[in-house]
PDB file of all heavy atoms in Angstrom:
ATOM      1  N   ARG Q  34      -8.190   7.045   1.072  1.00 87.00           N
ATOM      2  CA  ARG Q  34      -9.138   7.117   2.201  1.00 87.00           C
ATOM      3  C   ARG Q  34     -10.468   6.563   1.716  1.00 87.00           C
ATOM      4  O   ARG Q  34     -11.138   7.221   0.909  1.00 87.00           O
ATOM      5  CB  ARG Q  34      -9.229   8.509   2.741  1.00 87.00           C
ATOM      6  CG  ARG Q  34     -10.041   8.636   3.974  1.00 87.00           C
ATOM      7  CD  ARG Q  34      -9.762   9.952   4.713  1.00 87.00           C
ATOM      8  NE  ARG Q  34     -10.773  10.262   5.644  1.00 87.00           N
ATOM      9  CZ  ARG Q  34     -10.874   9.766   6.892  1.00 87.00           C
ATOM     10  NH1 ARG Q  34      -9.947   8.846   7.257  1.00 87.00           N
ATOM     11  NH2 ARG Q  34     -11.830  10.163   7.690  1.00 87.00           N
ATOM     12  N   LEU Q  35     -10.869   5.477   2.268  1.00 83.00           N
ATOM     13  CA  LEU Q  35     -12.107   4.802   1.834  1.00 83.00           C
ATOM     14  C   LEU Q  35     -13.232   4.878   2.857  1.00 83.00           C
ATOM     15  O   LEU Q  35     -14.135   4.034   2.895  1.00 83.00           O
ATOM     16  CB  LEU Q  35     -11.823   3.313   1.476  1.00 83.00           C
ATOM     17  CG  LEU Q  35     -10.889   3.111   0.280  1.00 83.00           C
ATOM     18  CD1 LEU Q  35     -10.644   1.599   0.125  1.00 83.00           C
ATOM     19  CD2 LEU Q  35     -11.371   3.744  -0.984  1.00 83.00           C
ATOM     20  N   LYS Q  36     -13.189   5.871   3.748  1.00 79.00           N
ATOM     21  CA  LYS Q  36     -14.151   5.987   4.826  1.00 79.00           C
ATOM     22  C   LYS Q  36     -15.519   5.914   4.350  1.00 79.00           C
ATOM     23  O   LYS Q  36     -16.426   5.242   4.977  1.00 79.00           O
ATOM     24  CB  LYS Q  36     -13.912   7.228   5.605  1.00 79.00           C
ATOM     25  CG  LYS Q  36     -14.841   7.500   6.766  1.00 79.00           C
ATOM     26  CD  LYS Q  36     -14.644   8.763   7.431  1.00 79.00           C
ATOM     27  CE  LYS Q  36     -15.723   9.133   8.454  1.00 79.00           C
ATOM     28  NZ  LYS Q  36     -16.853   9.679   7.814  1.00 79.00           N
ATOM     29  N   ASN Q  37     -15.857   6.590   3.280  1.00 70.00           N
ATOM     30  CA  ASN Q  37     -17.268   6.673   2.784  1.00 70.00           C
ATOM     31  C   ASN Q  37     -17.488   5.874   1.473  1.00 70.00           C
ATOM     32  O   ASN Q  37     -18.451   6.083   0.836  1.00 70.00           O
ATOM     33  CB  ASN Q  37     -17.689   8.131   2.603  1.00 70.00           C
ATOM     34  CG  ASN Q  37     -17.762   8.842   3.964  1.00 70.00           C
ATOM     35  OD1 ASN Q  37     -18.270   8.279   4.899  1.00 70.00           O
ATOM     36  ND2 ASN Q  37     -17.207  10.039   3.984  1.00 70.00           N
ATOM     37  N   ALA Q  38     -16.532   4.977   1.189  1.00 71.00           N
ATOM     38  CA  ALA Q  38     -16.707   4.142  -0.021  1.00 71.00           C
ATOM     39  C   ALA Q  38     -17.640   3.023   0.311  1.00 71.00           C
ATOM     40  O   ALA Q  38     -17.591   2.495   1.436  1.00 71.00           O
ATOM     41  CB  ALA Q  38     -15.367   3.628  -0.497  1.00 71.00           C
ATOM     42  N   ARG Q  39     -18.443   2.656  -0.656  1.00 68.00           N
ATOM     43  CA  ARG Q  39     -19.485   1.533  -0.434  1.00 68.00           C
ATOM     44  C   ARG Q  39     -19.584   0.688  -1.691  1.00 68.00           C
ATOM     45  O   ARG Q  39     -19.300   1.111  -2.744  1.00 68.00           O
ATOM     46  CB  ARG Q  39     -20.827   2.126  -0.040  1.00 68.00           C
ATOM     47  CG  ARG Q  39     -20.886   2.975   1.164  1.00 68.00           C
ATOM     48  CD  ARG Q  39     -22.251   3.544   1.390  1.00 68.00           C
ATOM     49  NE  ARG Q  39     -22.776   4.268   0.208  1.00 68.00           N
ATOM     50  CZ  ARG Q  39     -22.514   5.558  -0.098  1.00 68.00           C
ATOM     51  NH1 ARG Q  39     -21.722   6.299   0.622  1.00 68.00           N
ATOM     52  NH2 ARG Q  39     -23.049   6.135  -1.152  1.00 68.00           N
ATOM     53  N   HIS Q  40     -20.073  -0.461  -1.413  1.00 72.00           N
ATOM     54  CA  HIS Q  40     -20.488  -1.366  -2.569  1.00 72.00           C
ATOM     55  C   HIS Q  40     -19.404  -1.751  -3.511  1.00 72.00           C
ATOM     56  O   HIS Q  40     -19.557  -1.615  -4.738  1.00 72.00           O
ATOM     57  CB  HIS Q  40     -21.697  -0.864  -3.270  1.00 72.00           C
ATOM     58  CG  HIS Q  40     -22.895  -0.605  -2.355  1.00 72.00           C
ATOM     59  ND1 HIS Q  40     -23.419   0.662  -2.251  1.00 72.00           N
ATOM     60  CD2 HIS Q  40     -23.573  -1.390  -1.517  1.00 72.00           C
ATOM     61  CE1 HIS Q  40     -24.415   0.572  -1.361  1.00 72.00           C
ATOM     62  NE2 HIS Q  40     -24.484  -0.625  -0.883  1.00 72.00           N
ATOM     63  N   LEU Q  41     -18.195  -2.029  -3.074  1.00 79.00           N
ATOM     64  CA  LEU Q  41     -17.119  -2.473  -3.906  1.00 79.00           C
ATOM     65  C   LEU Q  41     -17.526  -3.717  -4.683  1.00 79.00           C
ATOM     66  O   LEU Q  41     -18.116  -4.649  -3.938  1.00 79.00           O
ATOM     67  CB  LEU Q  41     -15.875  -2.762  -3.137  1.00 79.00           C
ATOM     68  CG  LEU Q  41     -14.909  -1.529  -2.984  1.00 79.00           C
ATOM     69  CD1 LEU Q  41     -15.453  -0.598  -1.971  1.00 79.00           C
ATOM     70  CD2 LEU Q  41     -13.538  -2.054  -2.571  1.00 79.00           C
ATOM     71  N   ASP Q  42     -17.338  -3.822  -5.942  1.00 80.00           N
ATOM     72  CA  ASP Q  42     -17.639  -5.010  -6.622  1.00 80.00           C
ATOM     73  C   ASP Q  42     -16.333  -5.526  -7.318  1.00 80.00           C
ATOM     74  O   ASP Q  42     -15.253  -4.971  -7.073  1.00 80.00           O
ATOM     75  CB  ASP Q  42     -18.727  -4.837  -7.638  1.00 80.00           C
ATOM     76  CG  ASP Q  42     -18.398  -3.929  -8.839  1.00 80.00           C
ATOM     77  OD1 ASP Q  42     -17.235  -3.459  -8.910  1.00 80.00           O
ATOM     78  OD2 ASP Q  42     -19.254  -3.708  -9.699  1.00 80.00           O
ATOM     79  N   ALA Q  43     -16.467  -6.546  -8.101  1.00 81.00           N
ATOM     80  CA  ALA Q  43     -15.281  -7.240  -8.685  1.00 81.00           C
ATOM     81  C   ALA Q  43     -14.521  -6.246  -9.582  1.00 81.00           C
ATOM     82  O   ALA Q  43     -13.319  -6.246  -9.594  1.00 81.00           O
ATOM     83  CB  ALA Q  43     -15.704  -8.436  -9.496  1.00 81.00           C
ATOM     84  N   THR Q  44     -15.189  -5.356 -10.288  1.00 80.00           N
ATOM     85  CA  THR Q  44     -14.581  -4.441 -11.204  1.00 80.00           C
ATOM     86  C   THR Q  44     -13.705  -3.415 -10.435  1.00 80.00           C
ATOM     87  O   THR Q  44     -12.601  -3.128 -10.763  1.00 80.00           O
ATOM     88  CB  THR Q  44     -15.612  -3.626 -12.067  1.00 80.00           C
ATOM     89  OG1 THR Q  44     -16.463  -4.648 -12.681  1.00 80.00           O
ATOM     90  CG2 THR Q  44     -14.947  -2.789 -13.123  1.00 80.00           C
ATOM     91  N   SER Q  45     -14.238  -2.955  -9.299  1.00 81.00           N
ATOM     92  CA  SER Q  45     -13.507  -1.993  -8.470  1.00 81.00           C
ATOM     93  C   SER Q  45     -12.300  -2.691  -7.814  1.00 81.00           C
ATOM     94  O   SER Q  45     -11.256  -2.119  -7.734  1.00 81.00           O
ATOM     95  CB  SER Q  45     -14.396  -1.413  -7.437  1.00 81.00           C
ATOM     96  OG  SER Q  45     -15.412  -0.667  -7.993  1.00 81.00           O
ATOM     97  N   VAL Q  46     -12.492  -3.901  -7.347  1.00 85.00           N
ATOM     98  CA  VAL Q  46     -11.367  -4.716  -6.779  1.00 85.00           C
ATOM     99  C   VAL Q  46     -10.297  -4.870  -7.799  1.00 85.00           C
ATOM    100  O   VAL Q  46      -9.097  -4.771  -7.501  1.00 85.00           O
ATOM    101  CB  VAL Q  46     -11.949  -6.031  -6.174  1.00 85.00           C
ATOM    102  CG1 VAL Q  46     -10.778  -6.928  -5.813  1.00 85.00           C
ATOM    103  CG2 VAL Q  46     -12.780  -5.760  -4.971  1.00 85.00           C
ATOM    104  N   MET Q  47     -10.659  -5.211  -9.011  1.00 84.00           N
ATOM    105  CA  MET Q  47      -9.700  -5.384 -10.065  1.00 84.00           C
ATOM    106  C   MET Q  47      -8.908  -4.097 -10.377  1.00 84.00           C
ATOM    107  O   MET Q  47      -7.699  -4.128 -10.631  1.00 84.00           O
ATOM    108  CB  MET Q  47     -10.330  -5.995 -11.337  1.00 84.00           C
ATOM    109  CG  MET Q  47     -10.729  -7.418 -11.177  1.00 84.00           C
ATOM    110  SD  MET Q  47     -11.694  -8.234 -12.452  1.00 84.00           S
ATOM    111  CE  MET Q  47     -11.367  -7.313 -13.903  1.00 84.00           C
ATOM    112  N   ALA Q  48      -9.621  -2.983 -10.352  1.00 82.00           N
ATOM    113  CA  ALA Q  48      -8.977  -1.707 -10.595  1.00 82.00           C
ATOM    114  C   ALA Q  48      -7.999  -1.398  -9.438  1.00 82.00           C
ATOM    115  O   ALA Q  48      -6.882  -0.895  -9.718  1.00 82.00           O
ATOM    116  CB  ALA Q  48     -10.013  -0.606 -10.684  1.00 82.00           C
ATOM    117  N   LEU Q  49      -8.398  -1.689  -8.257  1.00 85.00           N
ATOM    118  CA  LEU Q  49      -7.438  -1.462  -7.099  1.00 85.00           C
ATOM    119  C   LEU Q  49      -6.253  -2.416  -7.155  1.00 85.00           C
ATOM    120  O   LEU Q  49      -5.131  -1.953  -6.965  1.00 85.00           O
ATOM    121  CB  LEU Q  49      -8.210  -1.754  -5.791  1.00 85.00           C
ATOM    122  CG  LEU Q  49      -8.965  -0.582  -5.180  1.00 85.00           C
ATOM    123  CD1 LEU Q  49      -9.816  -1.069  -3.997  1.00 85.00           C
ATOM    124  CD2 LEU Q  49      -7.982   0.487  -4.709  1.00 85.00           C
ATOM    125  N   GLU Q  50      -6.528  -3.638  -7.587  1.00 89.00           N
ATOM    126  CA  GLU Q  50      -5.351  -4.570  -7.693  1.00 89.00           C
ATOM    127  C   GLU Q  50      -4.400  -4.108  -8.740  1.00 89.00           C
ATOM    128  O   GLU Q  50      -3.166  -4.179  -8.610  1.00 89.00           O
ATOM    129  CB  GLU Q  50      -5.871  -6.009  -8.015  1.00 89.00           C
ATOM    130  CG  GLU Q  50      -4.748  -6.990  -8.119  1.00 89.00           C
ATOM    131  CD  GLU Q  50      -5.305  -8.431  -8.207  1.00 89.00           C
ATOM    132  OE1 GLU Q  50      -6.499  -8.610  -8.465  1.00 89.00           O
ATOM    133  OE2 GLU Q  50      -4.441  -9.327  -8.131  1.00 89.00           O
ATOM    134  N   GLU Q  51      -4.981  -3.675  -9.942  1.00 85.00           N
ATOM    135  CA  GLU Q  51      -4.082  -3.179 -10.976  1.00 85.00           C
ATOM    136  C   GLU Q  51      -3.286  -1.949 -10.484  1.00 85.00           C
ATOM    137  O   GLU Q  51      -2.047  -1.819 -10.740  1.00 85.00           O
ATOM    138  CB  GLU Q  51      -4.965  -2.730 -12.184  1.00 85.00           C
ATOM    139  CG  GLU Q  51      -4.186  -2.118 -13.326  1.00 85.00           C
ATOM    140  CD  GLU Q  51      -5.067  -1.592 -14.391  1.00 85.00           C
ATOM    141  OE1 GLU Q  51      -6.319  -1.922 -14.432  1.00 85.00           O
ATOM    142  OE2 GLU Q  51      -4.597  -0.769 -15.240  1.00 85.00           O
ATOM    143  N   LEU Q  52      -3.884  -1.100  -9.744  1.00 84.00           N
ATOM    144  CA  LEU Q  52      -3.223   0.098  -9.235  1.00 84.00           C
ATOM    145  C   LEU Q  52      -2.075  -0.291  -8.274  1.00 84.00           C
ATOM    146  O   LEU Q  52      -0.949   0.214  -8.394  1.00 84.00           O
ATOM    147  CB  LEU Q  52      -4.228   1.026  -8.437  1.00 84.00           C
ATOM    148  CG  LEU Q  52      -3.577   2.164  -7.660  1.00 84.00           C
ATOM    149  CD1 LEU Q  52      -2.912   3.163  -8.558  1.00 84.00           C
ATOM    150  CD2 LEU Q  52      -4.713   2.862  -6.812  1.00 84.00           C
TER     151      LEU Q  52
END
Side-chain angles (χ1 to χ4, degrees):
R34 185 161 164 81
L35 297 179
K36 178 181 171 280
N37 294 317
R39 300 177 306 277
H40 304 120
L41 270 73
D42 69 1
T44 307
S45 297
V46 169
M47 288 174 21
L49 273 171
E50 183 174 8
E51 177 187 346
L52 172 64

